[in-house]
Amino acid sequence: MASTALPRNTLLQRMITTDSALSSNTNSATASPTDSPSHSASSTSLSSLGSVSDEDIKATGGKLLDTYGNEFELPEFTIKQIRDAIPAHCFERSGARGLAYVARDIASLAITFLIFHNYVTPENIPSYAARFALWAVYTFVQGLFGTGLWVLAHECGHQSFSPSKTLNDTVGWICHSALLVPYFSWKISHGKHHKATGHLERDMVFVPKNREEYASRMGYLVHELSEVVEETPIATAFHMIAQQLLGWILYITLNVTGHNYHERQSEGRGKGKRNGFLGGVNHFNPSSPLYEAKDGKLILLSDLGLAITASVLIAIGMNFGWANVAVWYGVPYLWVNHWLVAITYLQHTDPSLPHYEPHAWNFARGAAATIDREFGFIGRYLLHGIVETHVLHHYVSTIPFYNADEATEAIKPVMGKHYRSDVEGGPIGFLRSMYKSARWCQWVEPCEGSEKQGVLFFRNRNGLGVPPQKI
């Protein structure tokens, strides 16, 4: 089984899975996130759009090496080849089927609550320790069911839930609002992420730090990174815990991990604004540079959804106690955030993945700079396969998750070695990958001799893989 995601020619292929497929337009940075890639030759060629070709890179004599040390070559297939390889029936969407999955997830949440509320009580289980342990299990299980519902709203945002935009946005707004997610605000920024995946100046989430940014954050000079001692495992674990607990909240409130080039916003809304506290960049303010003026009403509608959910939670807390709200909703909410961050992080962070400077990027290259993983029963069924077919996700937005596995198998021969997956170890391997990626993928920099080509790979201070350049 094969993958370019494993060290030095150790190949591993993804097992058969089910997932959602999401995408964006290939030749425009401003097209709708629901648009399908154009079939014109000029927009589908990976060497089009004025970006650097593989021949340009070879002509410099520089060799591109991913973090494992594998030589990297730019793909040569086209978006048209990707789309033509997918069977036509994979594009068919069913609103009834989508609603059935929503009903299943809501029923799972409700039944789980009723079982624990009625039976995990002092009368039935006198031991406090046993009740505590069982309610901890409750929060974990509800977190999985809640993440599944999150994924279905994600389908709505990409218009892969049904052929009806009205139904998609209604269901998406209700489900995401119930999970304290600003649906339209997220939908718009997420669509821009799909249009700029792997672009170091336009991508909207998990944009890696460059060498200078990482050195500054850690208190080093740029040239010192090739010589500093490795990060302790305890420090790595601390950063991981902080990311998993706070990552989603910091993203929607402070745009942490998003790009910070807001001065370039086409309407001038980004002047003087930056990521971070009091920077004016968030998912709640209609004047945020993440959005255009035309999006204002949708941002407010997203805020209204959050206000309704917050009001319901406040009413429940006042009537049933805040401790109950914390257990019934608060801790499961943190589990949902954890899974969301873990999934997204591992979809876009791996030692095999490139990132691109503006002159080297195009849509097809960015879409290929993602990786599929394996999370077993949880990923395939409870989370609707979002872990397992993410590569397809970035090529075609309108394929529903229940057809995505077949579509993924169809595009693998076209992508060849450029299709990446890491399924070693199954669900345990997925969890291990979080620590591995944190150790291997600390910043991105050009390969020695190819500094002008605009293709960057992860490097680290831990002595893992290709060492950072000595400056």
Side-chain angles (χ1 to χ4, degrees), residues 298-340:
L298 294 176
I299 309 307
L300 293 175
L301 184 56
S302 300
D303 295 343
L304 175 62
L306 300 183
I308 292 172
T309 300
S311 298
V312 172
L313 291 173
I314 291 171
I316 293 173
M318 294 177 66
N319 285 279
F320 297 96
W322 295 106
N324 283 330
V325 172
V327 174
W328 295 344
Y329 185 95
V331 179
Y333 169 78
L334 293 178
W335 274 112
V336 171
N337 292 353
H338 156 73
W339 292 121
L340 171 64

Side-chain angles (χ1 to χ4, degrees), residues 79-153:
I79 299 297
K80 184 177 188 303
Q81 288 174 315
I82 291 286
R83 291 183 62 87
D84 288 350
I86 301 172
H89 64 265
C90 289
F91 294 87
E92 296 175 2
R93 300 163 290 171
S94 168
R97 189 169 182 179
L99 287 170
Y101 280 107
V102 171
R104 186 199 78 175
D105 285 356
I106 292 175
S108 298
L109 288 162
I111 291 170
T112 301
F113 174 78
L114 290 173
I115 290 173
F116 277 79
H117 181 66
N118 290 323
Y119 297 102
V120 183
T121 63
E123 294 77 16
N124 294 317
I125 304 175
S127 169
Y128 175 82
R131 292 199 311 277
F132 183 92
L134 286 171
W135 277 106
V137 171
Y138 163 90
T139 65
F140 174 77
V141 173
Q142 293 291 72
L144 291 175
F145 291 144
T147 306
L149 192 64
W150 204 110
V151 172
L152 293 177

